[in-house]
Amino acid sequence: MSTTLKVSDPVPLVGSLDEIYSPAGVLKNGQRWDSLATKFASVFSGSKPDFIARAPGRVNLIGEHIDYVGFSVFPAAIEKDILMATRVTYADSPADKVEVVLKNTTERFVETTFASEYHSTDGVQLLNEGDERWANYFKVAFKGLHSHLPAKVLDEKNAKRPVKIEVLVDGTIPPESSLSSSAAMTTCSSTVVLEAFGARELIDRKEMAEVAIESERLVGVNSGGMDQSASIFSIPNHALYISFYPTLEVQPTRLPPSTPDHTFVIVNTLVVSDKKVTGPVNYNLRVVETRMAARALAKYLGLKAAKDASCKDLRGVLETYFNENGGSGHIQTEMENSAAVKETLDRSGEEAARIKVLEEKVEALYSSSTLQAALPRSEVEKLTGYSGDSFDKEFLSSFPIRADAFELYKRSKHVFTEALRVLQFQALCKQHQTPASDEDDGKQVYSQLGALMDGSQTSLRDLYSCSCDELNQVIDIAKRNGSLGSRLTGAGWGGCTVHLVPKPKVEVFISAMRSQYYAKKFPELTKEQLEDACFDTQPAGGACVYKV
Ligand code: A2G
């Protein structure tokens, strides 16, 4: 069933582990939660925590590198997560400041403490280097939320203002593996802060997601909102169709029932992907290229609003193009000129047809092969209509970028084709919510879903240039060993891949991965590390608080 979840729902208080994990995950995680509470009592010498906050990582099934452009994505939360066991001390009389003590069960993340005055969070400093940097995620969430807390919570007469928050963090999401450990950290920190300030019912999940997205940008990545939204809104057994335009909305969607069952297997290449590294392999550069591509397309289309905020991203250009040309009625005119637009409308509906129209405009704009290659700044200045200081201000001022050339054609082409694949993927899921009467029909739906995932990977590899040798190798092995659809997940350049595999083939699939990838590339891995690197996953629940 697919439902629209109210993004204005309060952050739920989840009372039992079965509401968070799959039946297989409950026991394993239950023990982990208990042992975290015990560890808390020992490292903070005293009583057990008051509560444990949880935020999951995510696997993106399809819709890569299009969230920051405004198009919809389709991730699912995973069972791997960040837990924060927390104790809060309230003063007998109103306090001026709160002290936060952060410890981690992993030794390399060293203990850190900071204090924050109630009237301002200016004293909370982020660190650029050192072993305490991991705490930046907590600090940005703390600062971000602080400015959103209702005045009555921060008011000095409120005796419920905490004087001390003690937190022990435990994570099972491998860092820098593209399963979104960073967004889980920000989201979990926000959940702790809301609970500590008694404000869980005062801020809705939408605001919480927006604050988490903004907060994470302060740590240096110009990210979209997929990861934080997946971590906050997910519900068990559902993937999440997340749209950002005109405003954040989520639709939990089940995968079609089938015989045999299908599942998603995650394979970690164990090649670290660091989004903040500057150079050509660079997340922020992709964000900038898509912004340049948006201005270039808006100029080419002769839009009146070409230089307005409404055209700062490719989604905005699409909306503006139709608004300025008579709304959805304009599709009719476009169809008269293009059989492909007509076919898309017939097969996938109006929104898909609008995307197809823009994809065709991209082809027309970059019809010469010189324009389809990497372009020097001078060429981008001509295409966008921004030059000199205004070019720097528009494209190069928000985040550090080092690049001599920009790929506008390939990035735009990826964005529009990927946006279309997401729509088709969700449509297939929604159309097949009841078991297929015939086994072959069930199989066919999964082949179609798999083909969309494969198409996404080809586009990420060839147009978005964010795959790498190891990701390609893993994908080749997967396709030879039962996967119906395989792609990188998250930002790319390393990290994890996701594969759609019929359940009866999972064992063979995993054993092929072990012998053909891990045994050759990482022969020293232990059994436990192997289990952690390649696993079958179930969509889990989102961020929550669990009273101990
Ligand atoms: O790459 C990262 O995971 C981004 N998240 C996410 O927003 C999305 O753009 C993805 C590629 O699809 C962060 O940077 C936190």
Side-chain angles (χ1 to χ4, degrees):
M1 275 290 292
S2 141
T3 41
T4 298
L5 191 81
K6 283 214 283 332
V7 286
S8 56
D9 284 346
V11 180
L13 177 79
V14 175
S16 89
L17 295 183
D18 349 333
E19 287 172 77
I20 309 175
Y21 299 107
S22 69
V26 171
L27 190 64
K28 203 163 100 208
N29 282 296
Q31 285 163 354
R32 177 174 149 236
W33 287 46
D34 283 348
S35 100
L36 182 64
T38 311
K39 245 183 234 163
F40 181 97
S42 111
V43 301
F44 282 107
S45 55
S47 56
K48 291 210 169 169
D50 298 324
F51 62 87
I52 296 181
R54 169 188 188 262
R58 61 96 193 93
V59 55
N60 190 18
L61 304 180
I62 196 155
E64 218 64 83
H65 284 284
I66 57 171
D67 58 347
Y68 49 80
V69 180
F71 283 108
S72 307
V73 293
F74 204 65
I78 55 174
E79 299 207 344
K80 289 188 186 291
D81 54 20
I82 305 268
L83 301 182
M84 293 189 180
T86 309
R87 184 167 61 205
V88 188
T89 313
Y90 299 96
D92 295 337
S93 55
D96 303 336
K97 62 175 185 202
V98 52
E99 187 195 3
V100 180
V101 184
L102 299 170
K103 300 190 184 196
N104 200 304
T105 54
T106 303
E107 247 169 53
R108 81 178 156 109
F109 301 124
V110 306
E111 174 182 342
T112 183
T113 301
F114 69 90
S116 171
E117 305 281 338
Y118 268 100
H119 67 273
S120 141
T121 57
D122 289 353
V124 181
Q125 300 297 333
L126 302 186
L127 299 174
N128 291 326
E129 50 193 43
D131 296 338
E132 292 171 38
R133 251 181 338 155
W134 68 276
N136 281 352
Y137 291 104
F138 194 98
K139 290 179 181 173
V140 286
F142 182 91
K143 280 163 85 100
L145 261 185
H146 198 270
S147 55
H148 282 250
L149 289 173
K152 65 177 178 194
V153 176
L154 297 175
D155 189 274
E156 61 185 26
K157 288 189 221 68
N158 179 10
K160 281 292 273 181
R161 295 202 309 192
V163 278
K164 193 167 197 181
I165 306 177
E166 292 159 301
V167 182
L168 178 62
V169 181
D170 182 64
T172 50
I173 313 168
E176 284 141 10
S177 67
S178 64
L179 295 178
S180 196
S181 57
S182 62
M185 267 299 284
T186 331
T187 305
C188 200
S189 309
S190 305
T191 312
V192 165
V193 174
L194 284 181
E195 187 64 14
F197 283 79
R200 189 158 36 80
E201 301 290 331
L202 305 175
I203 285 187
D204 65 25
R205 294 211 266 183
K206 180 165 184 233
E207 191 171 2
M208 186 179 165
E210 284 162 356
V211 176
I213 294 165
E214 274 308 310
S215 302
E216 193 151 343
R217 292 198 180 127
L218 299 176
V219 202
V221 177
N222 207 349
S223 70
M226 165 169 74
D227 302 348
Q228 300 81 357
S229 306
S231 194
I232 291 173
F233 295 111
S234 286
I235 56 175
N237 306 317
H238 291 72
L240 215 55
Y241 177 81
I242 308 175
S243 37
F244 302 97
Y245 195 92
T247 170
L248 183 65
E249 200 184 285
V250 293
Q251 274 180 39
T253 308
R254 275 187 191 272
L255 274 296
S258 65
T259 316
D261 264 354
H262 291 71
T263 189
F264 289 98
V265 181
I266 294 178
V267 181
N268 192 343
T269 59
L270 298 178
V271 178
V272 165
S273 135
D274 184 348
K275 295 195 285 310
K276 292 185 282 297
V277 175
T278 46
V281 181
N282 182 307
Y283 183 92
N284 289 335
L285 175 58
R286 294 293 179 279
V287 178
V288 167
E289 286 174 320
T290 60
R291 298 242 160 106
M292 291 170 171
R295 293 298 185 195
L297 189 57
K299 180 166 179 286
Y300 169 75
L301 294 171
L303 301 182
K304 290 198 224 60
K307 290 203 164 179
D308 294 356
S310 59
C311 288
K312 78 174 187 331
D313 57 37
L314 287 164
R315 174 64 191 243
V317 174
L318 180 150
E319 297 299 332
T320 311
Y321 175 70
F322 283 98
N323 286 344
E324 289 190 9
N325 287 286
S328 55
H330 188 65
I331 287 275
Q332 194 58 41
T333 321
E334 296 285 352
M335 279 193 322
E336 281 155 23
N337 299 327
S338 162
V341 172
K342 180 165 181 342
E343 201 212 321
T344 311
L345 181 73
D346 293 344
R347 276 187 39 207
S348 308
E350 187 179 318
E351 175 147 18
R354 282 156 35 105
I355 293 173
K356 191 75 192 168
V357 168
L358 271 281
E359 187 198 326
E360 295 204 335
K361 305 289 179 203
V362 166
E363 290 294 347
L365 162 57
Y366 302 99
S367 57
S368 94
S369 56
T370 354
L371 286 182
Q372 290 190 6
L375 304 172
R377 172 173 171 150
S378 55
E379 197 61 48
V380 179
E381 289 191 345
K382 275 193 238 149
L383 283 171
T384 57
Y386 287 82
S387 58
D389 289 349
S390 75
F391 185 94
D392 291 345
K393 186 159 174 281
E394 179 67 20
F395 304 118
L396 305 179
S397 61
S398 323
F399 285 86
I401 297 294
R402 258 190 278 133
D404 303 325
F406 306 93
E407 297 266 13
L408 305 201
Y409 165 70
K410 288 183 177 173
R411 310 308 182 227
S412 324
K413 178 90 176 166
H414 165 75
V415 165
F416 289 117
T417 53
E418 184 76 351
L420 195 53
R421 282 186 285 270
V422 174
L423 282 183
Q424 292 168 338
F425 197 94
Q426 201 221 10
L428 275 171
C429 293
K430 281 170 85 172
Q431 282 156 18
H432 296 90
Q433 287 294 311
T434 45
S437 46
D438 173 330
E439 202 175 294
D440 285 346
D441 288 352
K443 281 197 189 143
Q444 207 196 337
V445 179
Y446 272 90
S447 308
Q448 289 170 324
L449 292 172
L452 289 168
M453 291 173 70
D454 288 341
S456 168
Q457 172 61 21
T458 307
S459 182
L460 289 162
R461 188 191 61 207
D462 299 344
L463 299 175
Y464 225 70
S465 310
C466 64
S467 196
C468 66
D469 288 349
E470 291 82 355
L471 285 165
N472 298 341
Q473 268 169 38
V474 162
I475 284 158
D476 280 351
I477 300 170
K479 291 299 296 179
R480 281 188 269 112
N481 289 280
S483 167
L484 299 174
S486 290
R487 54 186 294 283
L488 66 87
T489 186
W493 299 290
C496 287
T497 52
V498 57
H499 311 268
L500 180 56
V501 184
K503 276 200 174 155
K505 297 203 173 152
V506 168
E507 218 172 289
V508 170
F509 176 96
I510 291 183
S511 106
M513 242 0 120
R514 288 184 179 178
S515 60
Q516 296 175 40
Y517 182 72
Y518 295 114
K520 292 196 178 141
K521 206 160 162 66
F522 300 98
E524 73 290 357
L525 292 186
T526 61
K527 183 168 172 280
E528 208 175 53
Q529 286 169 322
L530 279 169
E531 275 168 12
D532 220 38
C534 178
F535 55 93
D536 166 0
T537 185
Q538 303 302 323
C544 64
V545 178
Y546 184 88
K547 297 279 186 187
V548 177

